[in-house]
């Protein structure tokens, strides 16, 4: 009887090993897209727009900004290539302006968006300044997704704001 159990254990082990060798492994998941590295001394300065296969991000100055009058710069994120703006991701925009440029808010969230849909997220960036030229930057944390994958990202855009 002991030999029968020993033989049965060996057969069971061989069956398990054979099954393990023929089992198909799932295809590896695609590598998630990494957010752009944070700015370093060798990095290019931020530009007013960024084009990617998954999104378009643009920061635009108003056509005419008047000294000491309220104005709005526009930040727009548009999903592309079968991606959509993740409606559950805690989108955040941090805004910085040159000295003399008064910002109504330096941090914006989904609740501040003028538009927030799967196609687009759009924000007004209110400011006020005396006449002159001012640098304005916006760093946005967001995610664009498909049914299969989600790509969290952080990007910075900048513009030179002319106030007359």
């Amino acid at each position: 009887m002991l030999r029968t159990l020993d033989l049965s254990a060996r057969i069971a082990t061989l069956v398990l090993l054979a099954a393990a060798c023929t089992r198909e492994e799932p295809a590896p998941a695609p590598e998630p897209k990494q957010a752009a590295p944070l700015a370093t001394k060798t990095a290019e300065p931020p530009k007013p727009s960024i084009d990617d296969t998954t999104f378009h991000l643009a920061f635009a100055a108003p056509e005419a900004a008047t000294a000491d009058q309220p104005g709005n710069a526009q930040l727009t994120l548009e999903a592309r290539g079968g991606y959509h703006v993740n409606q559950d991701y805690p989108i955040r925009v941090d805004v910085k302006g040159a000295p003399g440029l008064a910002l109504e808010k330096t941090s914006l969230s989904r609740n501040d968006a003028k538009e927030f849909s799967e196609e687009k997220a759009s924000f007004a960036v209110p400011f006020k300044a005396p006449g002159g030229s001012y640098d304005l930057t916006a760093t946005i944390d967001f995610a664009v997704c498909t049914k299969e994958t989600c790509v969290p990202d952080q990007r910075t855009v900048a513009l030179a704001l002319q106030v007359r």
Side-chain angles (χ1 to χ4, degrees), residues 3-20:
R3 287 182 136 200
T4 304
L5 288 176
D6 188 39
L7 182 58
S8 296
R10 288 182 188 172
I11 291 172
T13 302
L14 288 173
V15 168
L16 288 173
L17 287 173

Side-chain angles (χ1 to χ4, degrees), residues 1-62:
M1 177 149 171
L2 186 56
R3 287 182 136 200
T4 304
L5 288 176
D6 188 39
L7 182 58
S8 296
R10 288 182 188 172
I11 291 172
T13 302
L14 288 173
V15 168
L16 288 173
L17 287 173
C21 290
T22 60
R23 184 176 53 173
E24 288 187 32
E25 293 294 321
E31 291 287 324
K33 185 175 177 183
Q34 298 296 317
L38 298 177
T40 62
K41 290 181 182 177
T42 59
E44 284 187 35
K47 297 178 181 178
S49 66
I50 298 172
D51 284 304
D52 187 271
T53 57
T54 62
F55 68 88
H56 171 73
L57 179 63
F59 200 21

Side-chain angles (χ1 to χ4, degrees), residues 85-89 91 110 113-118 120-123:
V85 176
N86 185 315
Q87 299 295 289
D88 299 317
Y89 190 84
I91 194 164
R110 178 183 177 158
K114 287 181 9 182
E115 179 181 345
F116 197 84
S117 67
E118 289 196 352
K120 183 191 321 186
S122 178
F123 297 86

Side-chain angles (χ1 to χ4, degrees), residues 34-38 57 89 94 139-142 152-156:
Q34 298 296 317
L38 298 177
L57 179 63
Y89 190 84
D94 291 318
T139 300
I140 182 170
D141 289 306
F142 63 97
D153 210 336
Q154 180 187 73
R155 298 293 179 109
T156 299

Side-chain angles (χ1 to χ4, degrees), residues 49-150:
S49 66
I50 298 172
D51 284 304
D52 187 271
T53 57
T54 62
F55 68 88
H56 171 73
L57 179 63
F59 200 21
E63 287 185 28
T66 304
D68 301 315
Q69 297 298 313
N72 287 305
Q74 300 297 320
L75 179 66
T76 305
L77 169 68
E78 294 177 334
R80 285 186 169 171
Y83 283 79
H84 63 270
V85 176
N86 185 315
Q87 299 295 289
D88 299 317
Y89 190 84
I91 194 164
R92 178 184 168 123
V93 178
D94 291 318
V95 185
K96 293 181 183 174
L101 183 66
L103 297 169
E104 188 174 300
K105 286 185 161 186
T106 58
S107 184
L108 306 170
S109 68
R110 178 183 177 158
N111 293 338
D112 299 303
K114 287 181 9 182
E115 179 181 345
F116 197 84
S117 67
E118 289 196 352
E119 295 79 29
K120 183 191 321 186
S122 178
F123 297 86
V125 180
F127 66 88
K128 191 174 182 181
S133 180
Y134 301 90
D135 291 330
L136 184 60
T137 62
T139 300
I140 182 170
D141 289 306
F142 63 97
V144 290
C145 306
T146 65
K147 289 181 181 179
E148 295 82 30
T149 187
C150 212

